[in-house]
Amino acid sequence: MNQPTTLFVGLDVHKDSIAVAHAVDDRSADVIYVGSIGTRQADIDALVRRLQAKAARLVFAYEAGPCGYVLYRYLTRKRLQCLVVAPSLIPKKAGDRVKTDRRDAVQLARLLRSGDLTPVYVPSVEDEAIRDITRAREDAIADLKAAKFRLQAFLLRLGLHYTGRANWNAPHLRYLAKVVCPTPAQQIVFQESVRAVDQQVERVQRLEAVLAEHVPSWRLYPVVQALQALRGVQDTVATIMVAEIGDLTRFYNPRQLAAFLGLIPSDYSSGERRRQGSITKAGNGHARRALIEGAWAYRASRPRSRSTSRNDSRASPSRSRTSAGRPRCGCANASAA
């Protein structure tokens, strides 16, 4: 019996074990479950040697998850084809609620053979390092907001209200330096809360300094500089966008980029009725958040006169209407002027 030319291997990867199943390129053949192996390189090498005795070409696939891309990079260094697939795009039966390691590995091998798996973009080690820095900064900002909220909530419970116009500016910090709590124990809690805020501020500053140090030597730094030509996009927003998106050439049209960012509006249809809802938010939340914050930063920095703000809710001047109620083009107004 001739050996198959290609063997499709599904891997269900966990921290301490990997469930393995493989399928030959014949669609009528059953998927064979191999078993579970360890995650050491010696265990993976033994599996590769075992499978190479059965087929000349091996194709591996596993779901993107908390284990990262270590296994992908190790297999590609051995010149083996490997795919990291998106878990949300794996076809599943509506009534199939049973989920085990064996069933997941068998399903991956079957779908890999049929070509129904969607691979994700795997960044290089350097690109992933920049992305880790930007996500660490994002986590530090979230912790800073939480620490500030806890401090404000503590003062609110004690009836201590700041009457200034804005929080966390110089007058507010001077106010916090003069706060005296009713009891010594509460004063200690207050001082610890203030110290927690200061520590998170220093943490954010350290990560921003590291980001500013490493980004200029990054291979995608020219793309970061190019994105800053957009309104509202500065160095931090541009760095987050490039670190999360990666290779821009994999998007063939703006709609694919919008789908990656989760900016596609949801669509509901029932019979002849069809309506669109809010954005799906099913894409990359880090890049989407940075893009929206850049848009809001540009909106807040725009000089808004009183006449402009009054006319925001009205029709645009370029779409003004004539006495007959028909829209008149803005270019006609310009030529008449």
Side-chain angles (χ1 to χ4, degrees):
M1 182 177 180
N2 295 329
Q3 291 184 348
T5 58
T6 304
L7 201 63
F8 300 94
V9 186
L11 305 175
D12 189 39
V13 181
H14 298 280
K15 181 181 69 174
D16 299 325
S17 63
I18 302 176
V20 184
H22 63 75
V24 297
D25 49 5
D26 185 7
R27 299 293 183 90
S28 61
D30 295 332
V31 180
I32 300 176
Y33 177 69
V34 177
S36 180
I37 65 172
T39 57
R40 300 177 303 171
Q41 293 184 359
D43 300 327
I44 299 173
D45 292 339
L47 174 66
V48 170
R49 290 192 299 267
R50 178 181 175 183
L51 296 179
Q52 283 179 341
K54 299 181 179 181
R57 176 172 173 261
L58 301 179
V59 181
F60 295 86
Y62 69 94
E63 297 182 14
C67 295
Y69 308 112
V70 178
L71 179 59
Y72 168 85
R73 295 188 178 113
Y74 182 73
L75 291 176
T76 52
R77 281 198 302 266
K78 298 176 69 68
R79 297 185 178 182
L80 297 172
Q81 186 177 355
C82 182
L83 301 179
V84 182
V85 301
S88 60
L89 299 179
I90 295 178
K92 296 180 181 179
K93 296 181 181 179
D96 190 3
R97 301 297 181 88
V98 180
K99 180 176 175 60
T100 62
D101 296 346
R102 175 171 182 167
R103 290 172 66 94
D104 290 345
V106 170
Q107 183 185 28
L108 284 174
R110 182 183 296 109
L111 294 176
L112 179 62
R113 179 177 60 183
S114 61
D116 293 330
L117 295 179
T118 302
V120 300
Y121 169 72
V122 179
S124 63
V125 178
E126 294 77 10
D127 297 350
E128 189 178 14
I130 298 296
R131 190 181 68 178
D132 289 339
I133 297 176
T134 58
R135 291 187 177 182
R137 174 187 172 274
E138 184 178 346
D139 295 337
I141 291 177
D143 294 340
L144 174 60
K145 292 181 180 179
K148 289 181 177 179
F149 177 79
R150 286 192 295 266
L151 176 58
Q152 291 176 331
F154 176 74
L155 294 177
L156 183 61
R157 290 197 302 270
L158 299 181
L160 302 175
H161 308 287
Y162 175 66
T163 58
R165 301 185 60 181
N167 293 329
W168 308 110
N169 52 10
H172 185 217
L173 296 179
R174 288 194 296 268
Y175 165 79
L176 292 177
K178 300 177 182 179
V179 169
V180 178
C181 297
T183 64
Q186 291 173 328
Q187 187 69 25
I188 293 175
V189 174
F190 168 73
Q191 293 174 355
E192 291 296 329
S193 300
V194 173
R195 187 176 293 110
V197 173
D198 294 338
Q199 291 175 353
Q200 296 302 327
V201 170
E202 295 175 357
R203 177 186 171 193
V204 173
Q205 293 175 351
R206 289 196 302 268
L207 290 172
E208 289 179 347
V210 172
L211 196 63
E213 178 184 356
H214 288 81
V215 169
S217 60
W218 188 25
R219 67 178 185 89
L220 295 178
Y221 182 63
V223 184
V224 175
Q225 291 179 313
L227 283 181
Q228 296 183 40
L230 300 175
R231 295 177 179 177
V233 178
Q234 297 186 5
D235 51 356
T236 303
V237 175
T239 303
I240 295 175
M241 292 291 296
V242 176
E244 295 294 337
I245 296 175
D247 188 8
L248 292 173
T249 59
R250 59 196 176 99
F251 299 106
Y252 298 101
N253 51 59
R255 188 173 182 84
Q256 285 186 338
L257 180 59
F260 175 80
L261 297 174
L263 298 177
I264 297 296
S266 57
D267 194 357
Y268 301 92
S269 62
S270 177
E272 297 181 354
R273 296 184 58 187
R274 178 182 178 183
R275 64 183 181 88
Q276 287 187 344
S278 59
I279 60 175
T280 58
K281 296 183 180 180
N284 191 302
H286 304 279
R288 181 177 62 252
R289 186 181 300 108
L291 183 63
I292 294 176
E293 288 180 356
W296 277 106
Y298 167 69
R299 183 185 179 92
S301 63
R302 290 178 58 189
R304 296 173 60 85
S305 61
R306 182 175 300 178
S307 60
T308 303
S309 60
R310 187 185 304 115
N311 295 330
D312 279 347
S313 59
R314 301 178 183 178
S316 174
S318 62
R319 299 292 295 175
S320 59
R321 294 182 177 273
T322 62
S323 57
R326 292 175 298 179
R328 184 173 56 189
C329 181
C331 59
N333 298 334
S335 61

